[in-house]
Amino acid sequence: MSATLPPDGAASGEMLSEPLPGMVAIKRRFPWSRDPGAHTPSDVGKAAWLFLAPALVLIFVFFFLPVLASLVLSVTDFDIYAIANPPTTRFVGMANYTKLFHSPEFWQALRNTFYFALVGGPLTIAVSLGTALLLNAKLVRFKSFFRTIYFTPFVTTLVAVSIVWRYLYHTRYGVLNYGLAHLGIAPIDWLGNPHWAMPAIILMSIWKNFGYNMLIFIAGLQAIPQDLYDAAEIDGAGPVRRFFAVTLPLLGPTLLFVSVITMIGYFQLFSEPYVMTQGGPLRATTSVVLMMYEEGFRWWRMGYAAAIAFVLFVVILIATLIQFRLQKEHA
Amino acid sequence: MGKMSLTQHLIGSLVVAFAFLAPASARAQDHRLPTNGSNGGGMDTHLFRPAVDSKGFFSVNGSDILAKAGYKEFPKTWADWTTAMKKIKSQMSPRQFPILMPTNEWPQPVMFALEAGSPILRDDGRYGAFEQPAFRKGFDFYLGFYRQGFASPVSSSQVSNLFQEFERGNIAMYISGPWYIGEFKNRLDSATQKKWMTAAMPGINGPGVSLALGSSLSLFAASQHKKEAWLLMEYMSRPAIQLQFYVLTGDLPPRKAAWQDTTFANNKYTRAFRDQLERVVPLPQVPEWEEIATTIYEHGEQAIRKAKTVDQTLASLDQDVNAMLEKRRYLLAQEKPKT
């Protein structure tokens, strides 16, 4: 590298009209160091690539390459036989995708996933925002205590949580049905009834996830200047008006971030049904990712599973673009 | 339940395996899996399932509940079993059930079908045999548990504490494997300890068939240490070692010689399993089995919940399983193009 560089100071005039005082000091102390001004734009470009190289190599090897490999996989019938003997793999073109779009199980999984994301997502965000507003209110005491309590479910192991919730949902001994009985409501078979299983999973997910969004909302709320509220109050805006005219617009970027992150996460629903219901009853809680896992890693239909992964990718991409567009229009 | 066992065998070519399961009926059949001739180098892949420990299914029953219904011993035929469950049911409250049989377990419908003489798959595992009368007979018997109210249509994940349910008398029987003996001994309260016993699976005309589930020892063709691996397998199959293995893990030995030890002679709970070892039948030896098994219970659930009629269920079961076996048919056709 140093051989290609011009001699010390030769190009400095082109880059900087005069050396910065700090550079002179450095030069005096470390006479062997190069004048920073000596670098041509192409040198800078090279250096940038050099610094970026490790990250780029990692992204290429661990992201682009696997994505490319699974794209190739999705047009083959790579399966359990191919694992034992790779030459048995056949090129099937779009057959995996055709099969997928003709599979009632896939459409059901897609419906379930949308149900979870479109009902569970907004509810989670609403609960997060609600608790964030409460914890940001001036009257509330022991804020950090409540923040910790509300955040705890998010950092608790899902498997442990699911086992506890299975007890809560128990038809006979569950505290939920116990409470309902006091209201005169007949016991609900939460996890055994195809109509109630998904709401049960959504309820648990809200409880499990709202703490994280809540913290982000609190940070967003604290960034809103108090004088805006004061001004609004002087103008005669009540609490509701203040929320819609000041809080919500200024929370816009936070709301976008939270909704995108939540939605992407919710479209990838897997662990909750995997632990709680194994996708049942009657596949009512089988999500796209759970189906992909079963096809790929239980039945070893890797080609088919790769096709599912790509369809899910497209779904999430479209949903994210829609959200960005909505947000832009709103702004 | 050995979820991975089939696939583990498939990774790499496998030519030698050691079938040391004592009863002839229980000896796993070896089955040739097709390989692509162009690259196989003349090496065939064989799949063996010699069970190290034969996990037959059995029933634990609240023997006092059975006694109350007038039974001294567990029924041996399907007809008697049904009658017994009817009597028990009539003495129970509406929310109590004679048997716990989760809808998301495949061994029960498969075992009943095997007992009825169904091969499960036909034409060397090329197609499903679900619409055949034998499978239907077993399937009808399976559905009968739910239709007649002997079992509640719950999935296994909905049962939070099986032992408590036994103690409270909410269930009287449960079908599982010998690995549960230790659990029952440890977890049932002292009052219930005197009230339970194991029994062999009833059949159509007398004691019924059972499944050999569990782990297998296999030796890979490509293994660099065949001799050493063989030594280990030989060692693991010694009666004394199998006995020790049982003491350590609770997994029952497949060899008759190991059963002659006093550990088993004096153990009333393992007796039913020793009896069942004689009537173990192998499962279809196809690598798609895990998927097929899951599809069977998923279709079963549709029939139980009346999402489909029995005819529709069995037709769609055949259709789905045939689709799963497409690759297998293709490979078998490749292997023997002329015959």
Side-chain angles (χ1 to χ4, degrees), chain A residues 81 84 90 170 172 301, chain B residues 10 95 160 170 288 291 326:
Chain A
Y81 292 101
R90 289 175 292 179
H170 199 285
R172 197 177 302 191
R301 297 185 189 278
Chain B
L10 273 164
R95 292 181 70 189
S160 37
N170 290 334
E288 293 89 349
E291 188 180 6
E326 186 277 330

Side-chain angles (χ1 to χ4, degrees), chain A residues 77-90 99 105 166-167 170-173 187 189-194 275-278 280-283 286 294-295 297-301, chain B residues 3-4 7 10-12 33-36 38-39 95-97 104 155-161 164-165 168 170 287-288 290-291 294 298 301-302 305 307 320 324-328 330-331:
Chain A
D77 73 340
F78 194 90
D79 61 3
I80 194 168
Y81 292 101
I83 291 170
N85 191 4
T88 59
T89 311
R90 289 175 292 179
K99 185 179 153 195
E105 282 88 11
R166 249 157 62 177
Y167 275 100
H170 199 285
T171 317
R172 197 177 302 191
Y173 313 121
D189 189 0
W190 289 98
L191 297 173
N193 184 322
V275 181
M276 299 270 284
T277 56
Q278 281 108 53
L282 289 182
R283 296 184 77 94
T286 303
E294 289 194 335
E295 292 291 343
F297 298 106
R298 282 188 75 191
W299 325 134
W300 303 101
R301 297 185 189 278
Chain B
K3 215 165 253 177
M4 308 280 284
T7 48
L10 273 164
I11 298 166
L33 281 169
T35 52
N36 192 322
S38 60
N39 200 40
R95 292 181 70 189
Q96 296 181 318
F97 294 91
N104 60 341
S155 81
S156 55
S157 59
Q158 283 177 268
V159 185
S160 37
N161 191 331
Q164 252 172 27
E165 302 297 325
R168 292 172 186 175
N170 290 334
E288 293 89 349
E290 278 296 321
E291 188 180 6
T294 304
E298 281 190 352
E301 200 191 353
Q302 291 178 348
R305 293 179 183 274
D320 287 3
M324 285 170 201
L325 292 166
E326 186 277 330
K327 180 79 172 256
R328 179 180 169 81
Y330 161 78
L331 291 172

Side-chain angles (χ1 to χ4, degrees), chain A residues 223-253:
Chain A
I224 299 174
Q226 182 59 37
D227 24 338
L228 289 176
Y229 287 110
D230 296 341
E233 208 171 342
I234 290 166
D235 285 344
V240 177
R241 185 73 199 275
R242 282 205 297 275
F243 173 74
F244 284 104
V246 180
T247 312
L248 214 52
L250 287 172
L251 267 186

Side-chain angles (χ1 to χ4, degrees), chain B residues 278-301:
Chain B
E278 303 286 353
R279 294 184 304 278
V280 168
V281 288
L283 290 164
Q285 303 293 307
V286 295
E288 293 89 349
W289 175 249
E290 278 296 321
E291 188 180 6
I292 293 172
T294 304
T295 307
I296 292 173
Y297 82 64
E298 281 190 352
H299 279 78
E301 200 191 353

Side-chain angles (χ1 to χ4, degrees), chain A residues 27 74 86 169 262-263 267-269 286:
Chain A
K27 195 75 194 163
S74 77
Y169 282 140
T262 304
M263 196 213 55
F267 268 113
Q268 294 177 22
L269 171 70
T286 303

